[in-house]
Amino acid sequence: MTKQRFLITSALPYINGIKHLGNLAGSMLPADVHARFRRMQGHEVLFLCATDEHGTPAELAAAEAGKSVQDYCLEQHEIQKTAGEGFHLSFDHFGRSSSSQNYELTQHFAHILEQNGFIEERVSKQIFSIDDNRFLPDRYVEGTCPKCGFEDARGDQCDNCGTLLDPMDLINPRSKISGSKNVEVRDTSHLFLCQPKLEKNIGDWVEASKPNWPHLAYSIAKKWLDEGLQDRAITRDLSWGVPVAYNGKARPGFENKVFYVWFDAPIEYIGAAQEWAQKTGNDWQRWWRKDKGADDVTYVEFMGKDNVAFHTVSFPATILGSNEPWKLVDRLKAFNWVTWYGGKFSTSNKRGIFMDAALDLMPGDYWRWYLMANAPESSDAAFTLEGFQAAVNSDLANVFGNFINRITKFAVSKFDGEVKSGGEYGDIEHELFKNILEKMAQINQCHEEMEFRKAAAETRAMWVLGNEYLQTKAPWSLFKTDLEQSALGVRVGLNLCALFAIAAIPFIPETANKVLDALGIPNENRNWWDGAGVEVFDALPHGLKINAPDLLFQKIEDATVAEWADKFGGA
């Protein structure tokens, strides 16, 4: 296989608090599974993410916590980074949108866009809170949605119906800060990105990208384009954010304004690469600049469906409008939502499990497997504690864990933990090899196409084939009557342990590597099997000494599920 380069980014988790399992399943986790798969194929991968730290919610959360916004964001960045490590997210760099690199890049893009005629300064109407004595940016305004009547819609979006809004659209607007309805509309100056001027460029690019995007991503982008793009304000009346400045000098009249978080946040993908380069001494430009070699990079983005419009219209408008040779996304994987028993995760209402709490209950691999085996790809997926219990007990403990523990323990107890020679393959082995090779091809195709739910299902089906072989071959019975065939069954079983663990690495990396450690397989041999044949069933050297790993998965009891339901909310 020709070595390729893959730039992989996950949508940036917002800074205001630890993320719930739905956030993990909709971007960071599938991005990690894909990054691991590509690395195992031998490709060069740069996997980037960062905390998204600007905007109104950061200011509000910091004020509520009684901290400066800088201290709050630093603290939350470390919390989210630690949680990611607990779930074995293998970022090459986990950066911050408040980095100096992102400040400089954001100001650069704004400057070049204005020079190219795609940014205009305009006086617009904005809600001013008399009691708070300040202009209210969109998320500082709440009110009734004009489309669905939801009474707690935000000034930028209604969380009930998903409609994108302007604060001026809200009925009975009120201040998010004080709750005051003593507000009025005043004039204020802002910079607008003239997206209609770039509509044809974006439309042509979206159509060219259609074959590489799932229907969900393409349909959302097409809907925006069909409705006609609008000029969008890219500055806000806030103190926390990227200052509106060019070449180190504040833009006159914008001294108390910052760039809109949705303008600077996607630029942090490039900023994170620069942060990584500064930290490691690598060259970031070969990943992002087509004039520096990025033409041969495959750029893959992962995100929830609510982020698609910004990544298929707004951020591409920034890149295309610059007329500079920046890399655009090639493949965009969008996900629906993970719900909590069909409803929303909610910290305030104690509904749902968030990333830090999940790790206090069970190791990261348990959650990784369930979330990817039930990935919300074709529709929203409901997380249930009962479904989690079933997946852990059945898939992980009974199927994968049981296979590994049975054959390795038998090998240790009866064959001194040694991979023995001898025995001729029979019909049962040939049928097994044929079926396993078919599964391997299907699993490979699912990972190539980023169909994570199917990849997990096919991986489990392959593990089932191994259990069926052991049941039929029964090397423990043959040990008394045909020692060579017993040794053959154990040898095939141990090679399947290696194969099954390698297939499991993208999903459950910590556990899979425990198995490979017990088999004595060096890291450099833990590679994907592209193009492999029957040799994989006798790959372990004869005479190799192996160990039986400790119990891989602890089953979840009904009483534990009931206890969790009381704590986190159940059906």
Side-chain angles (χ1 to χ4, degrees):
M1 173 178 286
T2 304
K3 188 173 182 179
Q4 301 173 51
R5 291 196 291 141
F6 287 88
L7 172 62
I8 299 174
T9 61
S10 161
L12 311 187
Y14 198 69
I15 198 68
N16 64 335
I18 196 75
K19 302 299 107 178
H20 60 65
L21 293 178
N23 298 131
L24 177 66
S27 55
M28 292 180 283
L29 181 51
D32 179 74
V33 171
H34 193 63
R36 288 179 180 276
F37 166 68
R38 292 303 187 187
R39 290 191 194 108
M40 291 176 72
Q41 287 183 307
H43 299 308
E44 188 180 359
V45 171
L46 180 58
F47 178 26
L48 300 172
C49 193
T51 38
D52 177 7
E53 300 187 9
H54 296 137
T56 309
E59 284 195 351
L60 293 174
E64 187 175 335
K67 298 179 179 178
S68 71
V69 68
Q70 291 89 345
D71 288 346
Y72 174 82
C73 288
L74 175 60
E75 176 186 88
Q76 291 298 317
H77 171 80
E78 291 302 320
I79 289 172
Q80 294 203 28
K81 183 180 179 182
T82 300
E85 291 167 353
F87 284 96
H88 317 300
L89 302 179
S90 59
F91 302 124
D92 289 291
H93 184 69
F94 186 68
R96 304 181 62 189
S97 69
S98 61
S99 68
S100 60
Q101 289 87 349
N102 197 41
Y103 272 47
E104 292 174 11
L105 280 164
T106 299
Q107 292 167 350
H108 164 78
F109 275 110
H111 191 200
I112 197 73
L113 284 166
E114 187 162 10
Q115 286 183 334
N116 292 342
F118 296 119
I119 284 181
E120 296 177 2
E121 179 179 342
R122 298 177 186 171
V123 175
S124 59
K125 303 292 185 182
Q126 189 168 337
I127 292 178
F128 186 89
S129 171
I130 296 171
D131 292 341
D132 297 317
N133 192 33
R134 61 174 295 173
F135 282 103
L136 298 178
D138 44 17
R139 286 205 175 194
Y140 275 56
V141 187
E142 293 181 334
T144 302
C145 175
K147 184 170 183 179
C148 72
F150 182 59
E151 293 184 354
D152 293 317
R154 300 193 312 263
D156 63 341
Q157 183 174 333
C158 175
D159 284 338
N160 186 57
C161 68
T163 301
L164 296 178
L165 299 169
D166 185 279
M168 308 294 294
D169 299 331
L170 293 174
I171 301 168
N172 298 322
R174 63 184 182 272
S175 167
K176 170 77 173 178
I177 302 169
S178 61
S180 172
K181 294 183 179 179
N182 187 19
V183 299
E184 64 183 23
V185 177
R186 293 185 182 180
D187 288 341
T188 184
S189 294
H190 282 294
L191 300 181
F192 281 75
L193 178 60
C194 304
Q195 294 184 145
K197 292 183 179 181
L198 292 158
E199 191 165 320
K200 185 180 187 310
N201 306 62
I202 296 170
D204 291 346
W205 172 70
V206 168
E207 289 303 318
S209 301
K210 182 179 179 181
N212 296 320
W213 294 359
H215 176 71
L216 177 63
Y218 172 77
S219 63
I220 292 173
K222 197 73 171 71
K223 179 176 181 290
W224 272 48
L225 288 162
D226 288 347
E227 291 176 353
L229 299 185
Q230 304 295 316
D231 295 335
R232 192 160 182 84
I234 60 166
T235 53
R236 292 292 187 270
D237 290 288
L238 289 170
S239 58
W240 172 242
V242 179
V244 183
Y246 302 152
N247 299 319
K249 296 182 180 179
R251 197 179 196 281
F254 284 73
E255 294 84 358
N256 296 318
K257 301 177 192 287
V258 299
F259 285 106
Y260 178 38
V261 62
W262 261 114
F263 182 69
D264 83 79
I267 296 171
E268 169 58 14
Y269 294 137
I270 307 173
Q274 291 188 346
E275 295 166 44
W276 163 79
Q278 184 176 14
K279 181 180 176 182
T280 62
N282 286 291
D283 179 10
W284 68 270
Q285 295 191 81
R286 61 190 289 267
W287 294 96
W288 277 107
R289 297 277 303 194
K290 291 189 285 186
D291 57 339
K292 301 292 184 180
D295 256 337
D296 66 354
V297 170
T298 299
Y299 178 20
V300 190
E301 289 179 347
F302 291 83
M303 69 199 66
K305 60 186 177 183
D306 53 332
N307 288 341
V308 169
F310 297 104
H311 287 81
T312 58
V313 175
S314 300
F315 185 41
T318 298
I319 297 295
L320 292 169
S322 74
N323 291 329
E324 294 177 332
W326 296 100
K327 178 70 184 173
L328 281 161
V329 65
D330 297 297
R331 302 182 68 187
L332 190 152
K333 178 68 174 181
F335 289 84
N336 291 283
W337 287 319
V338 174
T339 65
W340 182 260
Y341 288 89
K344 287 187 176 183
F345 285 78
S346 172
T347 306
S348 58
N349 295 325
K350 295 184 179 179
R351 280 184 51 81
I353 300 177
F354 287 66
M355 288 173 65
D356 54 349
L359 293 171
D360 290 336
L361 302 177
M362 285 288 173
D365 277 359
Y366 291 59
W367 306 100
R368 286 177 65 105
W369 174 259
Y370 177 72
L371 292 171
M372 287 295 89
N374 297 276
E377 292 173 302
S378 58
S379 62
D380 291 349
F383 184 102
T384 70
L385 292 168
E386 295 78 11
F388 176 61
Q389 176 193 30
V392 169
N393 293 356
S394 175
D395 301 353
L396 298 182
N398 289 346
V399 181
F400 180 68
N402 181 58
F403 178 85
I404 301 294
N405 289 122
R406 281 176 86 189
I407 195 63
T408 56
K409 286 182 178 179
F410 183 72
V412 168
S413 66
K414 299 300 183 182
F415 291 95
D416 298 321
E418 184 177 322
V419 180
K420 297 288 187 182
S421 301
E424 295 292 328
Y425 295 146
D427 290 344
I428 183 176
E429 281 80 27
H430 290 300
E431 181 68 15
L432 171 74
F433 298 164
K434 171 179 167 291
N435 291 336
I436 293 281
L437 288 172
E438 287 176 357
K439 282 287 170 237
M440 288 165 63
Q442 290 167 346
I443 293 166
N444 192 75
Q445 182 178 357
C446 290
H447 276 294
E448 289 281 356
E449 296 175 359
M450 296 186 291
E451 294 183 331
F452 299 98
R453 195 169 186 150
K454 289 182 181 178
E458 296 296 344
T459 300
R460 184 191 189 280
M462 185 170 68
W463 298 340
V464 168
L465 291 172
N467 280 284
E468 291 173 347
Y469 171 73
L470 287 188
Q471 284 297 103
T472 305
K473 187 71 174 180
W476 31 87
S477 299
L478 289 169
F479 186 75
K480 302 171 186 175
T481 60
D482 190 337
L483 193 58
E484 279 210 347
Q485 280 299 312
S486 177
L488 172 67
V490 170
R491 187 170 73 247
V492 170
L494 292 175
N495 278 280
L496 289 179
C497 286
L499 181 63
F500 291 177
I502 285 171
I505 286 176
F507 294 115
I508 47 173
E510 184 178 45
T511 308
N513 282 304
K514 281 182 184 176
V515 174
L516 296 170
D517 287 344
L519 296 174
I521 297 176
N523 288 330
E524 59 267 23
N525 290 346
R526 301 178 188 187
N527 303 317
W528 204 250
W529 56 64
D530 290 9
V534 293
E535 69 276 3
V536 299
F537 304 108
D538 199 16
L540 297 179
H542 295 190
L544 175 71
K545 287 281 192 177
I546 66 98
N547 296 304
D550 293 333
L551 184 69
L552 296 176
F553 296 100
Q554 188 71 44
K555 286 190 175 182
I556 301 172
E557 302 297 333
D558 291 345
T560 303
V561 172
E563 179 186 325
W564 292 349
D566 286 342
K567 184 174 182 180
F568 301 105

